[in-house]
Amino acid sequence: MRTAILASGRGSNLQALIKACASGSLPIEIVAVGSEQLGAAALERAKEAGIPTRVFQVRDYPHRQAQEEDLLIWMRENQVELLLLAGYMRVLGPQFIRQANFPVMNIHPSLLPAFPGLHAQRQALEYGVKVSGCTVHLVDEGLDSGPIILQEAVSVLPGDTEESLAQRILEVEHRLYPEAVRRLVLGKVERTGRRVQILLQEGLE
Ligand code: GAR
């Protein structure tokens, strides 16, 4: 399945997806990696893996919609069938989502619907939850509000800082995201309202 990835920063999730593809456990072809950040480390990781990259800096466009129109053109040119957001720190507008004729997935570092938006780990610590985690979901027109595909819990420990919690969640993310994508690609997705069930060969998940 021809897949594009958008990433804004470090790109460790991108790296985990590239690694899963290379090992043969994830049957997608990453055909393009994009970022709105010129110097994003994610772009370097993509280049090292031989994947074409492109930058869509917001300041190069008169308004947000123009940037997203360009993103869509680039995806059509690349015949993209699946879009993965991997630490992409901009919200894709409703017009983009409506016009995208392929699934869009995202990974978020909390157990949604708790702590959507920026700084999810900081929000979890400030709230005082004992358990947080990460969520892979389909992207809809809201903020981190789309139907959930997989979630996994991570304990919040007494001495945790934003960084230590983020790091422990990240380790789970690197396993959960490729697994969620694998299920979506190999499975038969059944959606009833917000509820997503993926029927794999090995049975009902
Ligand atoms: C990850 O923790 C991801 O879940 C989060 O940004 C980090 C990116 O790390 N995404 C969001 O917060 C999206 N709202 P990475 O660049 O190393 O993959």
Side-chain angles (χ1 to χ4, degrees):
M1 186 173 278
R2 294 178 65 81
T3 303
I5 299 182
L6 290 176
S8 304
R10 178 180 48 194
S12 70
N13 275 291
L14 167 75
Q15 193 75 61
L17 291 160
I18 291 172
K19 192 174 159 200
C21 286
S23 76
S25 65
L26 183 58
I28 59 170
E29 187 192 354
I30 304 172
V31 294
V33 170
S35 182
E36 87 294 16
Q37 297 293 337
L38 188 58
L43 294 170
E44 289 312 309
R45 295 188 196 250
K47 282 179 199 155
E48 272 167 33
I51 303 166
T53 62
R54 213 166 118 184
V55 178
F56 299 84
Q57 277 195 107
V58 176
R59 68 162 189 226
D60 294 341
Y61 298 90
H63 45 76
R64 148 193 171 152
Q65 215 173 308
Q67 188 241 18
E68 294 187 351
E69 277 163 16
D70 223 13
L71 274 174
L72 269 177
I73 290 168
W74 172 70
M75 283 174 207
R76 287 197 194 109
E77 281 169 3
N78 282 288
Q79 295 161 19
V80 166
E81 299 166 288
L82 174 67
L83 170 61
L84 304 178
L85 307 182
Y88 186 62
M89 292 307 182
R90 285 180 69 81
V91 176
L92 291 168
Q95 294 229 1
F96 180 97
I97 297 302
R98 266 183 251 128
Q99 286 179 46
N101 57 347
F102 41 78
V104 184
M105 293 171 81
N106 181 41
I107 185 149
H108 184 78
S110 74
L111 292 178
L112 290 170
F115 315 129
L118 292 176
H119 308 301
Q121 304 93 335
R122 189 187 305 169
Q123 293 184 57
L125 283 174
E126 283 174 358
Y127 197 93
V129 292
K130 304 298 183 200
V131 176
S132 191
C134 49
T135 303
V136 181
H137 64 94
L138 292 168
V139 176
D140 66 5
E141 293 176 22
L143 175 65
D144 297 325
S145 59
I148 290 167
I149 297 172
L150 281 181
Q151 289 186 300
E152 193 167 314
V154 172
S155 293
V156 179
L157 302 179
D160 260 339
T161 60
E162 199 178 331
E163 291 70 33
S164 65
L165 178 60
Q167 185 54 41
R168 266 203 327 289
I169 294 175
L170 207 56
E171 283 165 26
V172 178
E173 291 184 40
H174 295 161
R175 179 166 42 75
L176 201 72
Y177 206 3
E179 176 58 21
V181 177
R182 190 183 75 86
R183 290 188 194 203
L184 189 94
V185 169
L186 292 181
K188 185 164 168 280
V189 180
E190 287 191 353
R191 225 174 119 172
T192 317
R194 292 196 46 84
R195 298 180 68 176
V196 177
Q197 284 192 322
I198 298 181
L199 302 162
L200 286 177
Q201 274 183 344
E202 49 262 41
L204 185 65
E205 294 291 309

